[in-house]
Amino acid sequence: RIVSISYRPTVSQQKKNVKEKAVRVVKEYDERRNEFLDVAQEFFYSKGYEQTSVQEIIDTIGVAKGTFYHYFASKVELLDALVMRLGAQGVTMLQPLVADPSLRAVEKLARFFEQMNTFETANREFLIEAMRILYRGENALLRVKVQTQSIARLTPLLAQIIHQGIEEGAFT
């Protein structure tokens, strides 16, 4: 939605003292945050994390640098948010499988790991780059956070499959 209109002269117009209207678009918090994540993911996949600058991201979106720092304290925090979002997408992809009453536990377990492998393969280059960054010494806390979140998301799904397998007598 369009919120405000201000006058901002271009360089050539400044010389002529002529002003042009500039439109500032304000978006909901989650919408803008996801926009940053979408653009960052596109750049990280195509160019790599190290070769992507925060400036490129904000230029693509068309916002001020301060807007980026309202959402993320750093480029590493942006990477963290992107890894977390991918993890959530992976869990969302696995939930229907775990909830499928027509599948036996052994088949669910096999498909669970097949789908995880497919997801990791589809995001391979990014995940390799992300792990390279996360395993730097200065990112130890971030790495632990990512690992903890991954375990917290996947454990309940695996627990459901294992519980079903015990009830079926497939797992002892």
Side-chain angles (χ1 to χ4, degrees), residues 50-91:
E50 294 291 346
Q51 291 73 36
T52 301
S53 70
V54 170
Q55 190 64 49
E56 287 175 300
I57 295 168
I58 63 175
D59 287 347
T60 300
I61 296 172
V63 296
K65 191 173 249 181
T67 304
F68 173 84
Y69 291 105
H70 174 72
Y71 293 90
F72 307 99
S74 67
K75 187 174 150 187
V76 171
E77 189 176 295
L78 173 66
L79 176 66
D80 173 40
L82 193 51
V83 169
M84 291 296 143
R85 183 171 82 165
L86 281 173
Q89 290 170 349
V91 168

mmCIF file of all heavy atoms in Angstrom, residues 50-91:
data_model
loop_
_atom_site.group_PDB
_atom_site.id
_atom_site.type_symbol
_atom_site.label_atom_id
_atom_site.label_comp_id
_atom_site.label_asym_id
_atom_site.label_seq_id
_atom_site.Cartn_x
_atom_site.Cartn_y
_atom_site.Cartn_z
ATOM 1 N N GLU A 50 29.308 -15.079 0.055
ATOM 2 C CA GLU A 50 30.429 -14.134 0.155
ATOM 3 C C GLU A 50 30.391 -13.069 -0.942
ATOM 4 O O GLU A 50 30.787 -11.927 -0.720
ATOM 5 C CB GLU A 50 31.770 -14.871 0.095
ATOM 6 C CG GLU A 50 32.030 -15.779 1.271
ATOM 7 C CD GLU A 50 32.273 -15.051 2.582
ATOM 8 O OE1 GLU A 50 32.500 -13.830 2.567
ATOM 9 O OE2 GLU A 50 32.212 -15.718 3.624
ATOM 10 N N GLN A 51 29.909 -13.432 -2.113
ATOM 11 C CA GLN A 51 29.913 -12.502 -3.249
ATOM 12 C C GLN A 51 28.688 -11.589 -3.255
ATOM 13 O O GLN A 51 28.585 -10.707 -4.102
ATOM 14 C CB GLN A 51 29.969 -13.273 -4.576
ATOM 15 C CG GLN A 51 31.285 -13.974 -4.830
ATOM 16 C CD GLN A 51 31.486 -15.208 -3.958
ATOM 17 O OE1 GLN A 51 30.549 -15.936 -3.663
ATOM 18 N NE2 GLN A 51 32.720 -15.433 -3.527
ATOM 19 N N THR A 52 27.772 -11.793 -2.348
ATOM 20 C CA THR A 52 26.567 -10.966 -2.265
ATOM 21 C C THR A 52 26.745 -9.923 -1.181
ATOM 22 O O THR A 52 27.128 -10.244 -0.059
ATOM 23 C CB THR A 52 25.338 -11.843 -1.941
ATOM 24 O OG1 THR A 52 25.178 -12.821 -2.955
ATOM 25 C CG2 THR A 52 24.080 -10.997 -1.853
ATOM 26 N N SER A 53 26.453 -8.686 -1.518
ATOM 27 C CA SER A 53 26.544 -7.620 -0.521
ATOM 28 C C SER A 53 25.155 -7.222 -0.045
ATOM 29 O O SER A 53 24.160 -7.392 -0.763
ATOM 30 C CB SER A 53 27.245 -6.395 -1.105
ATOM 31 O OG SER A 53 26.423 -5.761 -2.065
ATOM 32 N N VAL A 54 25.100 -6.703 1.158
ATOM 33 C CA VAL A 54 23.840 -6.171 1.685
ATOM 34 C C VAL A 54 23.340 -5.066 0.757
ATOM 35 O O VAL A 54 22.138 -4.960 0.496
ATOM 36 C CB VAL A 54 24.027 -5.652 3.130
ATOM 37 C CG1 VAL A 54 22.806 -4.870 3.599
ATOM 38 C CG2 VAL A 54 24.321 -6.810 4.078
ATOM 39 N N GLN A 55 24.248 -4.270 0.216
ATOM 40 C CA GLN A 55 23.858 -3.182 -0.678
ATOM 41 C C GLN A 55 23.117 -3.704 -1.907
ATOM 42 O O GLN A 55 22.126 -3.116 -2.341
ATOM 43 C CB GLN A 55 25.092 -2.361 -1.094
ATOM 44 C CG GLN A 55 24.746 -1.081 -1.819
ATOM 45 C CD GLN A 55 23.965 -0.105 -0.942
ATOM 46 O OE1 GLN A 55 24.362 0.165 0.189
ATOM 47 N NE2 GLN A 55 22.860 0.397 -1.445
ATOM 48 N N GLU A 56 23.578 -4.821 -2.479
ATOM 49 C CA GLU A 56 22.888 -5.407 -3.634
ATOM 50 C C GLU A 56 21.461 -5.813 -3.273
ATOM 51 O O GLU A 56 20.530 -5.634 -4.063
ATOM 52 C CB GLU A 56 23.633 -6.653 -4.137
ATOM 53 C CG GLU A 56 24.911 -6.361 -4.853
ATOM 54 C CD GLU A 56 25.645 -7.632 -5.202
ATOM 55 O OE1 GLU A 56 26.003 -8.403 -4.288
ATOM 56 O OE2 GLU A 56 25.859 -7.848 -6.419
ATOM 57 N N ILE A 57 21.305 -6.360 -2.090
ATOM 58 C CA ILE A 57 19.987 -6.800 -1.643
ATOM 59 C C ILE A 57 19.055 -5.607 -1.486
ATOM 60 O O ILE A 57 17.936 -5.606 -2.003
ATOM 61 C CB ILE A 57 20.101 -7.614 -0.337
ATOM 62 C CG1 ILE A 57 20.866 -8.915 -0.594
ATOM 63 C CG2 ILE A 57 18.721 -7.889 0.259
ATOM 64 C CD1 ILE A 57 21.299 -9.655 0.659
ATOM 65 N N ILE A 58 19.532 -4.568 -0.806
ATOM 66 C CA ILE A 58 18.658 -3.408 -0.585
ATOM 67 C C ILE A 58 18.403 -2.641 -1.880
ATOM 68 O O ILE A 58 17.309 -2.107 -2.073
ATOM 69 C CB ILE A 58 19.169 -2.486 0.543
ATOM 70 C CG1 ILE A 58 20.516 -1.881 0.217
ATOM 71 C CG2 ILE A 58 19.189 -3.207 1.862
ATOM 72 C CD1 ILE A 58 21.013 -0.879 1.225
ATOM 73 N N ASP A 59 19.388 -2.615 -2.778
ATOM 74 C CA ASP A 59 19.172 -1.969 -4.076
ATOM 75 C C ASP A 59 18.105 -2.701 -4.885
ATOM 76 O O ASP A 59 17.283 -2.073 -5.548
ATOM 77 C CB ASP A 59 20.478 -1.907 -4.883
ATOM 78 C CG ASP A 59 21.459 -0.872 -4.351
ATOM 79 O OD1 ASP A 59 21.063 -0.028 -3.509
ATOM 80 O OD2 ASP A 59 22.636 -0.916 -4.766
ATOM 81 N N THR A 60 18.138 -4.021 -4.835
ATOM 82 C CA THR A 60 17.149 -4.819 -5.568
ATOM 83 C C THR A 60 15.747 -4.580 -5.024
ATOM 84 O O THR A 60 14.788 -4.462 -5.784
ATOM 85 C CB THR A 60 17.511 -6.317 -5.487
ATOM 86 O OG1 THR A 60 18.797 -6.507 -6.067
ATOM 87 C CG2 THR A 60 16.486 -7.169 -6.223
ATOM 88 N N ILE A 61 15.636 -4.496 -3.711
ATOM 89 C CA ILE A 61 14.330 -4.274 -3.088
ATOM 90 C C ILE A 61 13.901 -2.814 -3.225
ATOM 91 O O ILE A 61 12.721 -2.516 -3.337
ATOM 92 C CB ILE A 61 14.360 -4.717 -1.606
ATOM 93 C CG1 ILE A 61 14.601 -6.228 -1.545
ATOM 94 C CG2 ILE A 61 13.074 -4.337 -0.887
ATOM 95 C CD1 ILE A 61 14.841 -6.759 -0.156
ATOM 96 N N GLY A 62 14.893 -1.909 -3.226
ATOM 97 C CA GLY A 62 14.586 -0.491 -3.353
ATOM 98 C C GLY A 62 14.245 0.170 -2.030
ATOM 99 O O GLY A 62 13.324 0.988 -1.958
ATOM 100 N N VAL A 63 14.979 -0.197 -0.989
ATOM 101 C CA VAL A 63 14.761 0.395 0.329
ATOM 102 C C VAL A 63 16.064 1.011 0.836
ATOM 103 O O VAL A 63 17.130 0.769 0.282
ATOM 104 C CB VAL A 63 14.253 -0.656 1.352
ATOM 105 C CG1 VAL A 63 12.892 -1.191 0.946
ATOM 106 C CG2 VAL A 63 15.249 -1.789 1.524
ATOM 107 N N ALA A 64 15.947 1.767 1.909
ATOM 108 C CA ALA A 64 17.122 2.376 2.532
ATOM 109 C C ALA A 64 17.890 1.314 3.327
ATOM 110 O O ALA A 64 17.312 0.318 3.773
ATOM 111 C CB ALA A 64 16.699 3.504 3.462
ATOM 112 N N LYS A 65 19.169 1.534 3.513
ATOM 113 C CA LYS A 65 20.012 0.589 4.243
ATOM 114 C C LYS A 65 19.494 0.376 5.663
ATOM 115 O O LYS A 65 19.517 -0.739 6.182
ATOM 116 C CB LYS A 65 21.459 1.073 4.270
ATOM 117 C CG LYS A 65 22.429 0.026 4.780
ATOM 118 C CD LYS A 65 23.859 0.478 4.643
ATOM 119 C CE LYS A 65 24.492 -0.385 3.573
ATOM 120 N NZ LYS A 65 25.896 -0.081 3.335
ATOM 121 N N GLY A 66 19.005 1.433 6.282
ATOM 122 C CA GLY A 66 18.468 1.321 7.638
ATOM 123 C C GLY A 66 17.305 0.350 7.730
ATOM 124 O O GLY A 66 17.087 -0.287 8.768
ATOM 125 N N THR A 67 16.549 0.225 6.651
ATOM 126 C CA THR A 67 15.430 -0.713 6.632
ATOM 127 C C THR A 67 15.939 -2.142 6.795
ATOM 128 O O THR A 67 15.359 -2.938 7.530
ATOM 129 C CB THR A 67 14.617 -0.571 5.319
ATOM 130 O OG1 THR A 67 14.206 0.786 5.190
ATOM 131 C CG2 THR A 67 13.411 -1.481 5.318
ATOM 132 N N PHE A 68 17.033 -2.465 6.110
ATOM 133 C CA PHE A 68 17.618 -3.797 6.251
ATOM 134 C C PHE A 68 17.970 -4.057 7.710
ATOM 135 O O PHE A 68 17.635 -5.107 8.262
ATOM 136 C CB PHE A 68 18.880 -3.930 5.394
ATOM 137 C CG PHE A 68 19.623 -5.222 5.622
ATOM 138 C CD1 PHE A 68 19.247 -6.368 4.946
ATOM 139 C CD2 PHE A 68 20.666 -5.303 6.529
ATOM 140 C CE1 PHE A 68 19.911 -7.579 5.171
ATOM 141 C CE2 PHE A 68 21.336 -6.491 6.768
ATOM 142 C CZ PHE A 68 20.957 -7.639 6.084
ATOM 143 N N TYR A 69 18.628 -3.092 8.353
ATOM 144 C CA TYR A 69 19.087 -3.286 9.724
ATOM 145 C C TYR A 69 17.949 -3.241 10.740
ATOM 146 O O TYR A 69 18.130 -3.635 11.888
ATOM 147 C CB TYR A 69 20.207 -2.292 10.052
ATOM 148 C CG TYR A 69 21.451 -2.644 9.276
ATOM 149 C CD1 TYR A 69 21.851 -1.902 8.174
ATOM 150 C CD2 TYR A 69 22.195 -3.774 9.605
ATOM 151 C CE1 TYR A 69 22.977 -2.258 7.438
ATOM 152 C CE2 TYR A 69 23.316 -4.143 8.877
ATOM 153 C CZ TYR A 69 23.698 -3.373 7.802
ATOM 154 O OH TYR A 69 24.803 -3.739 7.077
ATOM 155 N N HIS A 70 16.775 -2.813 10.321
ATOM 156 C CA HIS A 70 15.588 -2.927 11.168
ATOM 157 C C HIS A 70 15.173 -4.399 11.292
ATOM 158 O O HIS A 70 14.647 -4.820 12.312
ATOM 159 C CB HIS A 70 14.444 -2.086 10.573
ATOM 160 C CG HIS A 70 13.144 -2.237 11.280
ATOM 161 N ND1 HIS A 70 12.911 -1.708 12.537
ATOM 162 C CD2 HIS A 70 12.006 -2.865 10.921
ATOM 163 C CE1 HIS A 70 11.689 -2.009 12.899
ATOM 164 N NE2 HIS A 70 11.111 -2.710 11.950
ATOM 165 N N TYR A 71 15.422 -5.170 10.249
ATOM 166 C CA TYR A 71 15.029 -6.572 10.215
ATOM 167 C C TYR A 71 16.150 -7.526 10.614
ATOM 168 O O TYR A 71 15.883 -8.572 11.196
ATOM 169 C CB TYR A 71 14.525 -6.948 8.809
ATOM 170 C CG TYR A 71 13.245 -6.248 8.458
ATOM 171 C CD1 TYR A 71 13.254 -5.012 7.828
ATOM 172 C CD2 TYR A 71 12.018 -6.816 8.777
ATOM 173 C CE1 TYR A 71 12.073 -4.360 7.518
ATOM 174 C CE2 TYR A 71 10.835 -6.177 8.466
ATOM 175 C CZ TYR A 71 10.869 -4.943 7.848
ATOM 176 O OH TYR A 71 9.695 -4.300 7.558
ATOM 177 N N PHE A 72 17.374 -7.190 10.266
ATOM 178 C CA PHE A 72 18.521 -8.074 10.500
ATOM 179 C C PHE A 72 19.691 -7.243 11.011
ATOM 180 O O PHE A 72 20.022 -6.221 10.433
ATOM 181 C CB PHE A 72 18.931 -8.797 9.215
ATOM 182 C CG PHE A 72 17.783 -9.524 8.560
ATOM 183 C CD1 PHE A 72 17.106 -8.963 7.495
ATOM 184 C CD2 PHE A 72 17.376 -10.767 9.035
ATOM 185 C CE1 PHE A 72 16.042 -9.610 6.904
ATOM 186 C CE2 PHE A 72 16.303 -11.422 8.447
ATOM 187 C CZ PHE A 72 15.630 -10.845 7.378
ATOM 188 N N ALA A 73 20.342 -7.724 12.063
ATOM 189 C CA ALA A 73 21.477 -6.999 12.635
ATOM 190 C C ALA A 73 22.714 -7.088 11.748
ATOM 191 O O ALA A 73 23.588 -6.231 11.817
ATOM 192 C CB ALA A 73 21.798 -7.531 14.030
ATOM 193 N N SER A 74 22.766 -8.120 10.898
ATOM 194 C CA SER A 74 23.937 -8.332 10.058
ATOM 195 C C SER A 74 23.587 -9.263 8.907
ATOM 196 O O SER A 74 22.512 -9.876 8.885
ATOM 197 C CB SER A 74 25.065 -8.953 10.883
ATOM 198 O OG SER A 74 24.695 -10.268 11.282
ATOM 199 N N LYS A 75 24.514 -9.406 7.998
ATOM 200 C CA LYS A 75 24.355 -10.348 6.888
ATOM 201 C C LYS A 75 24.332 -11.786 7.409
ATOM 202 O O LYS A 75 23.589 -12.629 6.905
ATOM 203 C CB LYS A 75 25.508 -10.137 5.892
ATOM 204 C CG LYS A 75 25.387 -10.920 4.619
ATOM 205 C CD LYS A 75 26.498 -10.496 3.670
ATOM 206 C CE LYS A 75 26.921 -11.595 2.758
ATOM 207 N NZ LYS A 75 28.082 -11.249 1.955
ATOM 208 N N VAL A 76 25.100 -12.075 8.460
ATOM 209 C CA VAL A 76 25.106 -13.414 9.054
ATOM 210 C C VAL A 76 23.740 -13.714 9.678
ATOM 211 O O VAL A 76 23.228 -14.827 9.563
ATOM 212 C CB VAL A 76 26.239 -13.564 10.099
ATOM 213 C CG1 VAL A 76 26.117 -14.869 10.869
ATOM 214 C CG2 VAL A 76 27.599 -13.486 9.425
ATOM 215 N N GLU A 77 23.119 -12.714 10.298
ATOM 216 C CA GLU A 77 21.784 -12.922 10.862
ATOM 217 C C GLU A 77 20.760 -13.178 9.753
ATOM 218 O O GLU A 77 19.831 -13.969 9.919
ATOM 219 C CB GLU A 77 21.360 -11.715 11.700
ATOM 220 C CG GLU A 77 20.091 -11.982 12.481
ATOM 221 C CD GLU A 77 19.719 -10.837 13.391
ATOM 222 O OE1 GLU A 77 20.486 -10.560 14.337
ATOM 223 O OE2 GLU A 77 18.656 -10.220 13.155
ATOM 224 N N LEU A 78 20.948 -12.533 8.611
ATOM 225 C CA LEU A 78 20.104 -12.789 7.450
ATOM 226 C C LEU A 78 20.265 -14.243 6.992
ATOM 227 O O LEU A 78 19.276 -14.932 6.714
ATOM 228 C CB LEU A 78 20.459 -11.828 6.309
ATOM 229 C CG LEU A 78 19.785 -12.058 4.960
ATOM 230 C CD1 LEU A 78 18.286 -11.818 5.047
ATOM 231 C CD2 LEU A 78 20.407 -11.140 3.910
ATOM 232 N N LEU A 79 21.493 -14.716 6.945
ATOM 233 C CA LEU A 79 21.766 -16.109 6.593
ATOM 234 C C LEU A 79 21.099 -17.046 7.584
ATOM 235 O O LEU A 79 20.469 -18.035 7.193
ATOM 236 C CB LEU A 79 23.275 -16.366 6.548
ATOM 237 C CG LEU A 79 23.708 -17.803 6.290
ATOM 238 C CD1 LEU A 79 23.307 -18.250 4.894
ATOM 239 C CD2 LEU A 79 25.217 -17.932 6.473
ATOM 240 N N ASP A 80 21.198 -16.745 8.863
ATOM 241 C CA ASP A 80 20.558 -17.537 9.915
ATOM 242 C C ASP A 80 19.052 -17.627 9.668
ATOM 243 O O ASP A 80 18.465 -18.712 9.705
ATOM 244 C CB ASP A 80 20.851 -16.905 11.274
ATOM 245 C CG ASP A 80 20.091 -17.562 12.415
ATOM 246 O OD1 ASP A 80 19.963 -18.798 12.430
ATOM 247 O OD2 ASP A 80 19.622 -16.822 13.307
ATOM 248 N N ALA A 81 18.422 -16.499 9.385
ATOM 249 C CA ALA A 81 16.976 -16.470 9.145
ATOM 250 C C ALA A 81 16.619 -17.292 7.909
ATOM 251 O O ALA A 81 15.593 -17.986 7.887
ATOM 252 C CB ALA A 81 16.494 -15.034 8.990
ATOM 253 N N LEU A 82 17.466 -17.240 6.913
ATOM 254 C CA LEU A 82 17.218 -17.997 5.691
ATOM 255 C C LEU A 82 17.339 -19.502 5.941
ATOM 256 O O LEU A 82 16.509 -20.290 5.476
ATOM 257 C CB LEU A 82 18.187 -17.545 4.601
ATOM 258 C CG LEU A 82 17.905 -17.997 3.187
ATOM 259 C CD1 LEU A 82 16.483 -17.707 2.764
ATOM 260 C CD2 LEU A 82 18.877 -17.312 2.235
ATOM 261 N N VAL A 83 18.337 -19.903 6.704
ATOM 262 C CA VAL A 83 18.500 -21.316 7.058
ATOM 263 C C VAL A 83 17.295 -21.782 7.879
ATOM 264 O O VAL A 83 16.755 -22.869 7.650
ATOM 265 C CB VAL A 83 19.825 -21.545 7.825
ATOM 266 C CG1 VAL A 83 19.875 -22.935 8.437
ATOM 267 C CG2 VAL A 83 21.013 -21.321 6.901
ATOM 268 N N MET A 84 16.830 -20.948 8.809
ATOM 269 C CA MET A 84 15.667 -21.292 9.626
ATOM 270 C C MET A 84 14.409 -21.436 8.758
ATOM 271 O O MET A 84 13.607 -22.342 8.953
ATOM 272 C CB MET A 84 15.423 -20.233 10.707
ATOM 273 C CG MET A 84 16.459 -20.203 11.786
ATOM 274 S SD MET A 84 16.448 -21.752 12.718
ATOM 275 C CE MET A 84 18.177 -21.921 13.017
ATOM 276 N N ARG A 85 14.265 -20.538 7.800
ATOM 277 C CA ARG A 85 13.100 -20.606 6.916
ATOM 278 C C ARG A 85 13.140 -21.886 6.069
ATOM 279 O O ARG A 85 12.124 -22.557 5.894
ATOM 280 C CB ARG A 85 13.025 -19.374 6.024
ATOM 281 C CG ARG A 85 11.776 -19.371 5.147
ATOM 282 C CD ARG A 85 11.586 -18.087 4.424
ATOM 283 N NE ARG A 85 12.389 -18.044 3.219
ATOM 284 C CZ ARG A 85 12.206 -17.156 2.245
ATOM 285 N NH1 ARG A 85 11.271 -16.237 2.352
ATOM 286 N NH2 ARG A 85 12.975 -17.175 1.180
ATOM 287 N N LEU A 86 14.320 -22.227 5.559
ATOM 288 C CA LEU A 86 14.441 -23.468 4.794
ATOM 289 C C LEU A 86 14.118 -24.681 5.656
ATOM 290 O O LEU A 86 13.474 -25.627 5.198
ATOM 291 C CB LEU A 86 15.847 -23.601 4.210
ATOM 292 C CG LEU A 86 16.139 -22.785 2.968
ATOM 293 C CD1 LEU A 86 17.609 -22.876 2.600
ATOM 294 C CD2 LEU A 86 15.282 -23.238 1.807
ATOM 295 N N GLY A 87 14.555 -24.647 6.903
ATOM 296 C CA GLY A 87 14.246 -25.740 7.822
ATOM 297 C C GLY A 87 12.750 -25.872 8.039
ATOM 298 O O GLY A 87 12.205 -26.985 8.040
ATOM 299 N N ALA A 88 12.079 -24.751 8.200
ATOM 300 C CA ALA A 88 10.622 -24.766 8.380
ATOM 301 C C ALA A 88 9.935 -25.303 7.133
ATOM 302 O O ALA A 88 8.961 -26.058 7.222
ATOM 303 C CB ALA A 88 10.118 -23.365 8.715
ATOM 304 N N GLN A 89 10.443 -24.944 5.957
ATOM 305 C CA GLN A 89 9.877 -25.456 4.709
ATOM 306 C C GLN A 89 10.066 -26.966 4.605
ATOM 307 O O GLN A 89 9.174 -27.678 4.136
ATOM 308 C CB GLN A 89 10.520 -24.759 3.503
ATOM 309 C CG GLN A 89 10.126 -23.316 3.344
ATOM 310 C CD GLN A 89 10.955 -22.589 2.290
ATOM 311 O OE1 GLN A 89 11.963 -23.086 1.797
ATOM 312 N NE2 GLN A 89 10.541 -21.376 1.965
ATOM 313 N N GLY A 90 11.212 -27.442 5.051
ATOM 314 C CA GLY A 90 11.468 -28.878 5.040
ATOM 315 C C GLY A 90 10.502 -29.632 5.935
ATOM 316 O O GLY A 90 9.964 -30.681 5.565
ATOM 317 N N VAL A 91 10.247 -29.089 7.122
ATOM 318 C CA VAL A 91 9.311 -29.712 8.052
ATOM 319 C C VAL A 91 7.901 -29.703 7.460
ATOM 320 O O VAL A 91 7.176 -30.703 7.525
ATOM 321 C CB VAL A 91 9.348 -29.009 9.425
ATOM 322 C CG1 VAL A 91 8.186 -29.432 10.303
ATOM 323 C CG2 VAL A 91 10.667 -29.303 10.118
#
